[in-house]
Structures are given as structure tokens and as C-alpha cells.
Amino acid sequence: MNSLLNQANEILNQVNASSTDHLRPKFHITPPSGLLNDPNGFIEFDGQYHLFFQWHPFACTHGSKFWAHCTSQDLVNWDFKPTALAPDASYDKNGCYSGSAFVLGDELHLFYTGNLKDEAGERVSTQCLAKSVDAELEIYSKIGPVIHSQPQGYTAHFRDPKIWQHDGRWYCVLGAQTEALTGQVLLYSSSDAYQWNYHGPIAGEGINGLTDFGYMFECPDLFPLDGQDVLIGCPQGIKPDGFDFHNRHNNGYFVGELDYNLSQYSHGEFHPLDRGFEFYAPQTTLGKDGRRLLSAWIGIPDEDEQPTVEHDWIHALSLVRSLHLVDGRVHQRPVEEHKALRGAKSEWAAQILSSEQALTFSSENCFELSLKAEEINGLFSLRLAEAGDHFVEISFDSATGIFKLDRSHALHQDGSRESTLAYTDRLELQIFFDCSILEVFVNNGEEVFTGRVFPQQLVSNSTVSISNSCIIKELIRYDY
Ligand code: FRU
């Protein structure tokens, strides 16, 4: 009988390069076929980066998840490795759910959630280990559950262990749901990463005065950043608040301090991390040089109807970003390594635009645009268009400081997302457009807007037009 792992590997080995698929990104990780969701097990080991992801190889739906495995030397060129985990054990047969990785000796360990529906159809969640058995770190042997059930007072929505080491001891945070159906983050610790002690909830409903904080907290990740402890994650069921939290499921972060002796996390407000339409389950790791690196799912739970399904794949991972704490806020920037992928460069001379003028140029459907505008007076707008019809509009109003990404003209999409920027008279944009993915970094990472847009056909001369009254200090396009 062909094992589940072999079946997944066969899919991996089939070349899936449909020439009619103009939506398949060139420099983002996408699944060979089937559905991709959360990044998992992001880690650097011996100079190599490993990035796993939740994968359902057999259909574009959320079935029993596998862990796909990619590696890279430079965070931008990724190779697929054999599938790391298949849902083939008694305790994870309904999915090897999300988790993280750590190194013990020469072995890479994977710490994940075993998802099981028991005979009565009830969910059973255990936190499980697997470890590498070969020098190439491609083959993983399952050790089994090391946290056998959720603590008292919690439901079986208990998952996504994120592990780290502090002062020689292992810690992990887990996403959880209380029996009162509220979301919390739980803290555990261990001397050997195999035997775990429960310390209690450290964030979520009822903690640090938080109320109305949703019904489940998914994919927590707690890490030090520039002297603070940042907790990122995805509280499900929180309500929109001003410009914040308008997606069906949202992401965000707290900045605070974890008291390891008291197992208490004091923190400030919960802020959105990425303000775009599709961004979920971000996971970080420490880079070779001490940078805090992040990867995320460009997708949202319960939103799986996209035109790529026609080509048997759905969703992608974000570009790897580095995180920085600036005035108490987390800023995200694309890693410098990304510059290595840049192709032909087109640069426009600095110029003054009046409000009646438009700057227009053609572009392939895969590019990076870098723009610096100053002395903005009025409404600045930048449009991406195909065949004369714009599908994305980025605007900034110097009167209010409101920045807006609008994709309501794009096929299958609607809506816009907004935020108020710190400065009102200038704007810096770094836009990555990769066939059907848009990542817009605003003001050197002050805000990021990530989302999918689906041009109707291969765009060979999309138009980027800018109209406003301002000084364009810099405008550079790189083809990819
Ligand atoms: C988040 C999530 C995780 C879970 C995984 C299952 O998108 O729901 O909580 O572990 O996806 O694929």
C-alpha cells in the first residue's frame, strides 16, 4: 500500500507548471498542488533555513494536514524537500497541525499538534514531537504526544505550540479556548523539551483587563524584540475597531514583558500586525545574524474560494520579513536578501508633479516598485491596471494622514483597508506584485498591507499610474 507520505511525495515530484496559470506567483512559496496554510517550524540550523507549512496535498480544501518542508540558504530561494509529516499516526490522523521546530544536539525536532477526531467524532488535541533521523534533516520519525491533553477548564481547541529557550530552560506558548468559549494563550516550560509543566494563561480574555477578545486564540508566538517581549497571534472572533480587525479572522500583537518567575505577561494594547486582506498565522524565528524573521500565510481560515483552484492549488506564504520595534510598535520590512532577486531596473528622474499630472508606465505582472514622495498636498493615488482598467488603488490623503488600499475593482474581491500614518506630508512605498499577490510596505515597514488580487489574464503591460501633487523623490521599478 502506498503510504500517505509517499502519496504526498509523488504530488511533490509531479511538475506542475501549467503555462495557462498566470496567477501562480514567481517568488512566493505556493503548494505544488492542494492547499497551503500556516508556516510551521521556521528555524535556522547550521546555516540553513527550514520552513515547513501546513499542507493538504490532495485537494484545495482543509483536510488532514501534512507538513511540507522547504529549505533555503538565503531566505529567498527555497527548495522543496520530501514531505516531513503525514497524518498517519493514531493520535494525528486528522491532521499534523501547526507547530514549531527546535534543535537538540544534531537533530531537528518538530513540535506540533496531533489533531484527532475520536470515535464519537469529538476533537482530541495532543502536542507531539518528531525528530530528524538523517544527516540531511529530510526524514522525520514521530516520537508521539508529550502534552497529552489540555489543562482543566479548557476545550480541545488547544494547539500550535511555539517553543523557545530562555536561560537554559525550554518554554512554549499554546493557543487555547476556555470552557466559557474565550481565547487565551497558555504558557508551559520544560528542562528537556519532552516533559512539560503547565504554568497557566498569560494572555487573552480576562487577563490584563482584556475583554471581548474572541472565542479562540490561534498560533501564538512570543519572542524578545529590541528589549521587549512581543506576543503575536490570531484571536478569532474579535470585532472590528475603527480601521482595525476587518478581516473574517485577524492577526496582531502585544508588546510587553514576560516575567519568567511569576509566569505573567504584562502588555499594552493589541495592534494589527499586517493590515491587508489575507494574512494569518505568522511565525517568527531568530536569523543567523540575530534578526527576528517572520513568515505568514497569505490566506485566512474559511476563505478558500479563489480562482487558482482551477489550477489545483490555493494560497501562499508571505515574503520573509524582519521585525523591528519602533516607538513601541512592530515594524516589518522585507529581508535585504530579497534584493538578490531583482532583475532589470527602471528608474525615473526626481520630479515635481502637479495635481493634474499623471505619471504612467507599463509593467510586467511581477515587479517591485519603490517610491518616495514628499510635500504631498491633497490626495495621492497610485493605480495598478490591466487593459486600462485599474484593479488596485493605493491612496493617501495628506489632509487626514489616511492611507488606503482598495481592491474593490479586482476580480472576485471587494473592499478596502485603511490606516492612519504617522506623517501626513510624505510617503514611502515598497510594493511587491507577484502575479496575484500584493505586499505593500508603507514608510519602511510602519504598516504592511498584504492581499491577493486576481488579474483576469496574463498581464504583459499593466499600467502603474501615479497622480497627485507632490515631489517624487524616487521611483524605481525592478522586474522579477
Ligand atoms: C490556523 C490553524 C491552526 C491549526 C492549523 C490547521 O490557520 O487553524 O490553529 O493548527 O490551522 O491547519
Side-chain angles (χ1 to χ4, degrees):
M1 202 186 72
N2 201 353
S3 71
L4 279 174
L5 208 58
N6 286 344
Q7 289 176 43
N9 286 336
E10 275 166 19
I11 289 175
L12 213 53
N13 294 332
Q14 284 158 13
V15 186
N16 187 330
S18 159
S19 57
T20 58
D21 184 359
H22 66 282
L23 300 173
R24 175 78 83 165
K26 288 190 190 163
F27 55 87
H28 284 80
I29 293 176
T30 51
S33 65
L35 178 144
L36 166 156
N37 58 306
D38 315 352
N40 294 153
F42 192 16
I43 196 163
E44 183 266 319
F45 184 28
D46 261 353
Q48 190 171 47
Y49 289 98
H50 296 260
L51 181 55
F52 303 79
F53 62 80
Q54 289 282 284
W55 185 33
H56 185 219
F58 308 127
C60 294
T61 53
H62 287 273
S64 295
K65 297 291 167 58
F66 293 61
W67 274 40
H69 184 191
C70 298
T71 60
S72 174
Q73 295 291 336
D74 60 6
L75 298 166
V76 293
N77 292 290
W78 293 96
D79 295 319
F80 271 91
K81 296 289 165 186
T83 309
L85 297 175
D88 54 9
S90 56
Y91 47 84
D92 65 17
K93 71 182 173 59
N94 298 100
C96 297
Y97 273 10
S98 285
S100 47
F102 60 98
V103 174
L104 265 189
D106 292 336
E107 289 153 355
L108 193 55
H109 280 64
L110 311 181
F111 194 13
Y112 70 99
T113 299
N115 183 47
L116 172 69
K117 291 280 166 68
D118 69 11
E119 279 150 24
E122 298 289 326
R123 182 188 296 269
V124 179
S125 297
T126 52
Q127 315 311 324
C128 309
L129 287 180
K131 67 174 181 177
S132 58
V133 293
D134 61 333
E136 290 74 36
L137 310 172
E138 290 182 357
I139 301 169
Y140 292 83
S141 148
K142 289 183 181 172
I143 293 160
V146 292
I147 299 178
H148 295 268
S149 73
Q150 67 275 17
Q152 266 209 332
Y154 292 86
T155 74
H157 283 285
F158 170 59
R159 54 180 171 266
D160 311 335
K162 176 72 200 307
I163 185 169
W164 75 97
Q165 214 172 15
H166 176 82
D167 282 350
R169 194 167 172 83
W170 294 102
Y171 291 85
C172 89
V173 278
L174 273 152
Q177 180 181 61
T178 66
E179 281 175 349
L181 306 187
T182 60
Q184 288 189 342
V185 177
L186 309 184
L187 180 70
Y188 284 72
S189 81
S190 170
S191 57
D192 59 4
Y194 277 64
Q195 308 225 23
W196 289 91
N197 300 323
Y198 174 53
H199 292 275
I202 56 159
E205 180 78 22
I207 298 164
N208 281 328
L210 264 192
T211 51
D212 289 333
F213 206 60
Y215 58 83
M216 169 65 190
F217 197 107
E218 293 193 312
C219 302
D221 185 355
L222 200 153
F223 51 88
L225 186 68
D226 301 334
Q228 298 280 292
D229 296 310
V230 172
L231 173 62
I232 63 177
C234 300
Q236 294 189 301
I238 59 171
K239 296 192 184 68
D241 178 15
F243 289 151
D244 303 349
F245 311 126
H246 285 271
N247 292 338
R248 187 185 305 217
H249 296 293
N250 295 282
N251 70 89
Y253 68 90
F254 296 110
V255 176
E257 214 171 314
L258 179 63
D259 185 323
Y260 283 89
N261 295 321
L262 298 177
S263 299
Q264 279 173 8
Y265 180 59
S266 53
H267 61 73
E269 250 181 87
F270 192 70
H271 299 290
L273 182 62
D274 186 292
R275 291 181 171 272
F277 304 90
E278 283 92 17
F279 183 94
Y280 202 76
Q283 188 177 91
T284 73
T285 194
L286 203 56
K288 293 175 202 179
D289 46 10
R291 278 176 303 173
R292 180 56 56 172
L293 303 168
L294 174 141
S295 168
W297 174 27
I298 303 185
I300 297 274
D302 306 319
E303 289 188 1
D304 304 308
E305 282 177 31
Q306 292 184 358
T308 63
V309 169
E310 268 175 49
H311 301 281
D312 296 326
W313 68 276
I314 185 164
H315 303 312
L317 293 183
S318 70
L319 300 182
V320 176
R321 305 168 179 185
S322 62
L323 301 187
H324 311 265
L325 200 63
V326 181
D327 297 333
R329 293 295 183 97
V330 176
H331 288 198
Q332 305 176 75
R333 298 173 191 150
V335 289
E336 287 290 309
E337 285 87 335
H338 217 273
K339 292 180 177 161
L341 296 186
R342 288 173 174 171
K345 174 178 177 181
S346 316
E347 188 165 2
W348 283 260
Q351 55 196 292
I352 299 173
L353 289 186
S354 77
S355 54
E356 290 86 44
Q357 284 174 303
L359 192 71
T360 308
F361 55 88
S362 297
S363 198
E364 300 285 321
N365 66 335
C366 190
F367 60 85
E368 175 190 342
L369 195 71
S370 172
L371 176 133
K372 287 188 181 140
E374 289 180 3
E375 296 185 33
I376 299 175
N377 186 6
L379 195 65
F380 170 97
S381 117
L382 185 153
R383 288 176 169 189
L384 304 183
E386 55 165 344
D389 231 1
H390 79 271
F391 57 94
V392 170
E393 179 168 46
I394 289 167
S395 62
F396 177 64
D397 187 348
S398 68
T400 57
I402 295 175
F403 179 91
K404 181 167 169 181
L405 172 66
D406 185 340
R407 67 171 182 188
S408 53
H409 294 263
L411 181 70
H412 296 299
Q413 303 293 356
D414 53 8
S416 59
R417 294 289 180 270
E418 289 160 283
S419 104
T420 307
L421 302 181
Y423 300 108
T424 54
D425 60 339
R426 54 191 143 121
L427 185 66
E428 260 188 59
L429 295 177
Q430 194 177 6
I431 300 173
F432 292 89
F433 181 53
D434 189 4
C435 303
S436 57
I437 293 178
L438 195 60
E439 292 188 56
V440 181
F441 293 82
V442 185
N443 291 345
N444 200 21
E446 176 188 343
E447 301 291 0
V448 189
F449 292 70
T450 300
R452 300 300 297 274
V453 285
F454 301 108
Q456 303 206 35
Q457 53 205 292
L458 184 66
V459 184
S460 56
N461 64 340
S462 72
T463 316
V464 178
S465 61
I466 302 163
S467 61
N468 62 323
S469 157
C470 68
I471 300 174
I472 301 285
K473 280 288 209 199
E474 181 186 293
L475 179 60
I476 305 172
R477 191 194 70 218
Y478 300 96
D479 293 330
Y480 272 65

